[in-house]
Amino acid sequence: MKRYLFLMAATACMLSCAGNGDSGNGVELLDAAVFRTEIDGKPVGLYTLQNADGMTVQLTNYGARVVALWVPAADGRFRDVVWGYDSIDAYLRTADKYCGPVVGRFGNRIGKGRFTLDGKESQLTINNGENHLHGGPGGFECRVWDARETTTPEGNPAVAMSYRSANGEEGYPGNLDITVTYSLTPDNGLVIDYEATTDAPTIVNPTSHVYYNLHGTTEHSTDSHLLTIHASGFTPTDAGLIPTGEILPVEGTPLDFRTPHAIGERIGQTDYEPLAFGNGYDHNWALDKPEAGTVSLAAEAYEPATGIRMKIYTDQPGLQFYAGQGMDGKEVGKRGDRHNFRSGIALETQNFPDAPNHDNFPSSVLRPGETYTQHTVYAFETDEQ
Ligand code: FUC
C-alpha cells in the first residue's frame, strides 16, 4: 500500500513539478535557473534524478556536488537529508566548501603535503595546518565538471560528471581524467561510481563529502543518530590528524561502532586521546571485508525520529566519519537551515588518509594503463509504521 502511494505521488510529481514547490509528498525541487551560470568559462547547472518511488537527487557540476537528496521517511513524507544551499551563488561564497562535493585528488590528509613515488618527491599545496587536505585549496570541490545526463546499463537515471585534473594541479603529478557517475536505483539507492586514468604515475583517492542529517533538518543535531560501522580497527593519528601508520583495534574504545550507538553517547569522552585530537569523531575506520576490494556493508545510520535508515556499501578499505564539530551555525542553507554544531555527518568511503606515506596501508598509486574505480552506494530504507 505504502509503495503504491509513493508511486502515485511520484507520478504526480513528474507530471507537475518542474520547479519549486511541494509536489504532494514533501519533495521541494530547487529551481535549475538559480544554478545556471558560467564559471572558468564552463557552463554550470543543476541536474535532477528521480526514481519511480519519488526519491530525488539534485546535483550540480560545480564540484560534482550533491545539492539535495529527498528520501521517504516512515510517515510517508519525504525529507531532504543533505545540508547545502539553494543557489550557486551561495556555494561560491560558502565558508564550508566541503558540503556535498567529490573531494580529491586525494580525499582527507597527506602529512606535510609530501609523498615520494618511484623515487620522485612531490610537494602538494598546504591548506590544513602544515598538511594537505581534500586535494588542496583548489581541489575537485571548486572545479567545474562536464556533466552528461545518461542511463546506467540497468536502465537507471544517471548523471556522469568528468574532469581533467592537469599535471601539476595542486602539486600532483600526471594528467588525471576522472568521471564520477551518480545514479538512482529503483530501491532507493544513490550510487556513486568513480573511474580515473592517468598519463603518468600519480596517487588518487576521491570521495563524496556530503553532510547527512536523517532528521531532514539541521534544527536537530545528528547526535541522536544510531551509527554502526562494520570495522574492528581504525588508523590513529597525531594531533594534526595525520595517521601514525598503526591500525589499532576499536574494541573497548568510544570508536567501537560494531553494534549501534548514538553518535552523541560517547563523543564527549575526550580523555580518550583520539577523541581529543578530533574534537569528537573525525577518524578513519579500517573496514572489515570478507576480501579486499569487494563491495560490502560498511556502515548504517538510523534516526528514530524519522525512521530513516541509511546503509553504505562500498568496495573501499576505509571510512572517514566526521561528526560536524566544525559547524558553528553561521552559514544559512536551504529552507533557512543553519550549519549548526554537529548537525551533519560525513561518511566518506575512501582509502586510508596519508596512504602514500605508509607502505602497510592499501596503495593509492595509479599508473598509466590502469583504471582506478570505486563503487559506493548510499541506500535508504524506512521503518514500517
Ligand atoms: C573531514 C575531516 C576534516 C575536515 C573536513 C571538513 O573529512 O577529516 O577534519 O574538517 O572533513
Side-chain angles (χ1 to χ4, degrees), residues 44-363:
V44 169
L46 184 72
Y47 299 84
T48 303
L49 302 176
Q50 193 169 61
N51 73 7
D53 272 2
M55 178 182 174
T56 305
V57 63
Q58 293 198 286
L59 306 155
T60 178
N61 56 321
Y62 176 66
R65 188 180 300 265
V66 177
V67 172
L69 182 63
W70 292 89
V71 302
D75 63 6
R77 310 258 314 156
F78 283 63
R79 304 289 195 286
D80 179 4
V81 291
V82 312
W83 191 85
Y85 295 100
D86 55 11
S87 74
I88 191 68
D89 291 346
Y91 280 106
L92 291 171
R93 282 194 314 259
T94 182
D96 185 353
K97 55 189 190 150
Y98 300 125
C99 50
V102 168
V103 295
R105 258 179 226 198
F106 197 95
N108 211 277
R109 292 172 178 80
I110 294 180
K112 299 195 171 64
R114 236 177 265 151
F115 68 95
T116 302
L117 180 53
D118 299 340
K120 239 174 77 185
E121 185 173 272
S122 290
Q123 177 62 61
L124 306 174
T125 50
I126 301 300
N127 61 337
N128 188 250
E130 57 179 9
N131 302 315
H132 175 86
L133 173 69
H134 293 332
F140 290 173
E141 82 292 339
C142 61
R143 303 291 176 172
V144 180
W145 298 54
D146 298 319
R148 188 171 53 89
E149 289 175 288
T150 181
T151 45
T152 65
E154 304 79 38
N156 298 330
V159 179
M161 309 235 192
S162 301
Y163 176 66
R164 163 163 280 213
S165 169
N167 178 29
E169 188 179 277
E170 300 300 315
Y172 288 96
N175 290 300
L176 184 87
D177 287 298
I178 178 164
T179 297
V180 174
T181 305
Y182 289 97
S183 61
L184 288 185
T185 64
D187 55 354
N188 291 346
L190 172 67
V191 182
I192 313 180
D193 278 304
Y194 305 68
E195 225 178 81
T197 55
T198 183
D199 62 3
T202 190
I203 56 167
V204 63
N205 182 28
T207 187
S208 166
H209 201 291
V210 173
Y211 293 124
Y212 291 95
N213 185 321
L214 304 182
H215 286 285
T217 168
T218 57
E219 272 175 36
H220 303 289
S221 150
T222 39
D223 281 6
S224 56
H225 290 9
L226 298 173
L227 183 67
T228 311
I229 302 177
H230 299 287
S232 312
F234 76 107
T235 53
T237 67
D238 64 16
L241 302 186
I242 301 300
T244 60
E246 299 155 282
I247 301 171
L248 294 183
V250 294
E251 175 106 53
T253 80
L255 267 55
D256 190 350
F257 280 96
R258 288 173 298 170
T259 55
H261 285 271
I263 290 170
E265 183 189 323
R266 301 168 295 175
I267 197 168
Q269 293 181 16
T270 44
D271 51 336
Y272 178 61
E273 196 176 57
L275 281 181
F277 286 164
N279 189 27
Y281 294 112
D282 192 358
H283 304 89
N284 172 66
W285 275 255
L287 297 170
D288 294 334
K289 291 258 164 201
E291 199 188 320
T294 55
V295 177
S296 66
L297 181 60
E300 297 173 51
Y302 176 71
E303 174 43 55
T306 54
I308 298 174
R309 182 183 304 280
M310 177 170 76
K311 290 185 175 171
I312 304 172
Y313 298 87
T314 189
D315 56 9
Q316 291 300 290
L319 180 84
Q320 181 84 15
F321 163 40
Y322 165 63
Q325 48 271 36
M327 301 169 177
D328 60 9
K330 288 191 186 136
E331 301 282 310
V332 182
K334 290 174 286 178
R335 300 173 298 278
D337 256 4
R338 288 184 173 274
H339 208 32
N340 292 326
F341 182 64
R342 297 210 307 241
S343 67
I345 51 170
L347 291 162
E348 308 151 58
T349 58
Q350 56 177 29
N351 195 351
F352 301 172
D354 203 33
N357 293 313
H358 304 280
D359 289 344
N360 58 322
F361 286 2
S363 171

